[in-house]
Amino acid sequence: MFDIYTIIFLALAVFIFIRLRSVLGQRTGRERPPYDPYSRRDAAKAPAANDPRASDKVVNFPGTEPSHVPEPVEPDVPAQPRWTGVAEIGSAVANGLDAIAAQERGFDVKHFLEGARSAYEMIVVAFANGDRRALKDLLARDVFDGFSAAIAEREARGETMQTSFVAISKSDIVDAQVKGKTAQITVRFVSQLISVTRNAAGETVDGDAEAVVDVTDVWTFSRDLGARDPNWKLVATEAAS
C-alpha cells in the first residue's frame, strides 16, 4: 500500500516530532508569561491606585496638564511701608529716614516722634522758667547759648514768664537727612499754649493768662549715629506762621 519513499518520509516526520517534543516540552497551563525587564521595575516604583501616596508621586512632563487643577492661592498681602503715617513712599523725608535707618539699627521713627514731643514741651517750659540746667541736656551748644542769653535779658528787665501746655495737636516730620555720621530730623509742631510775661510789678507785658494761643514751631534735632548716647539734641529753631 505504501511505497518505500512514503515510509521514509513518515518515519522522518515521527522522528522530528519526537525531538521537538523533548526540546520544547508540553504546555501544562502553569507556564509563566514572557519576562519583561521593565515591568518589575515599574511595579516596584508605582504605588497602587488606592495608595494615598499615589497622587503625590505624579510627575507631569512638559506640555502636559495635570488632571486636577489646584485651587488658586491668594497672593500675600504686601507689607506696609516702613514709614506709613509719617512719610510718603519715595518722598525726600522717606529717603532721609531710609538713610538714617541704614546706619542706625533699630531706629524707630514713631519712638523718635514721641521723644521729640516730650522734648518740645520740656524745652518750652524750661525756657519760660529760666531753667538753664534742664535746657543744657536738651540743646546743642550754640542753641543753648541763644536760649541762655534770652533768659538773661528777661531777668535783667525783671520780667517773669509763665507758660503751660494745653495740647500738641500735630508733630510732623518735614525733613530728614544724614550728613556724614550725623542724622538730622526736622519736626513741625503745632501746639496750643497759655503764655504770659509779667514785669517786676506783676503787670502783664506780653501774652494773656486767660487765652489759648496756637503756636507753630519748626525744630531740628540732631544725633551722631552709632553713638552710645541715644538722646537727640535741638540744633535749630524756627517760628512758623
Side-chain angles (χ1 to χ4, degrees):
M1 295 179 62
F2 299 97
D3 59 18
I4 187 64
Y5 295 105
T6 301
I7 295 173
I8 292 174
F9 282 118
L10 181 61
L12 182 60
V14 171
F15 174 78
I16 293 173
F17 174 76
I18 294 173
R19 293 292 299 172
L20 288 174
R21 181 182 178 85
S22 64
V23 173
L24 298 176
Q26 295 181 347
R27 183 174 293 274
T28 65
R30 297 181 180 180
E31 292 80 7
R32 294 182 180 181
Y35 175 72
D36 184 354
Y38 298 101
S39 63
R40 294 179 61 84
R41 181 185 66 186
D42 294 340
K45 288 186 177 181
N50 59 355
D51 191 333
R53 298 174 299 171
S55 61
D56 295 334
K57 300 299 183 180
V58 176
V59 177
N60 296 304
F61 290 90
T64 63
E65 296 294 334
S67 58
H68 172 69
V69 179
E71 294 294 332
V73 178
E74 292 294 333
D76 294 336
V77 177
Q80 293 295 321
R82 65 194 308 186
W83 312 126
T84 298
V86 177
E88 294 183 0
I89 299 175
S91 64
V93 172
N95 294 336
L97 293 175
D98 284 337
I100 294 173
Q103 297 191 42
E104 185 76 20
R105 294 185 61 183
F107 172 70
D108 186 335
V109 68
K110 292 185 178 180
H111 180 70
F112 164 82
L113 280 173
E114 291 176 2
R117 289 164 66 96
S118 296
Y120 176 68
E121 184 172 349
M122 291 173 61
I123 291 170
V124 170
V125 173
F127 174 73
N129 295 336
D131 188 348
R132 294 177 175 85
R133 178 175 297 181
L135 292 172
K136 191 172 184 179
D137 295 332
L138 299 170
L139 311 181
R141 180 60 183 271
D142 55 344
V143 178
F144 172 78
D145 290 343
F147 275 50
S148 182
I151 293 172
E153 292 176 1
R154 189 174 65 213
E155 292 173 339
R157 294 192 300 267
E159 296 175 348
T160 58
M161 185 177 183
Q162 181 180 359
T163 299
S164 58
F165 268 86
V166 176
I168 300 177
S169 56
K170 287 186 179 181
S171 54
D172 301 322
I173 296 178
V174 297
D175 187 45
Q177 56 184 302
V178 175
K179 296 181 178 180
K181 289 292 184 180
T182 302
Q184 289 189 351
I185 300 179
T186 302
V187 183
R188 184 176 183 268
F189 296 99
V190 178
S191 61
Q192 290 74 47
L193 306 175
I194 298 175
S195 183
V196 60
T197 301
R198 297 183 175 91
N199 58 21
E203 298 170 339
T204 299
V205 295
D206 189 28
D208 187 340
E210 303 296 331
V212 176
V213 179
D214 289 330
V215 178
T216 301
D217 289 305
V218 179
W219 287 11
T220 300
F221 298 89
S222 177
R223 179 176 178 271
D224 291 335
L225 296 173
R228 292 184 178 181
D229 185 0
N231 294 321
W232 295 70
K233 291 192 174 183
L234 179 64
V235 296
T237 63
E238 177 185 352
S241 56

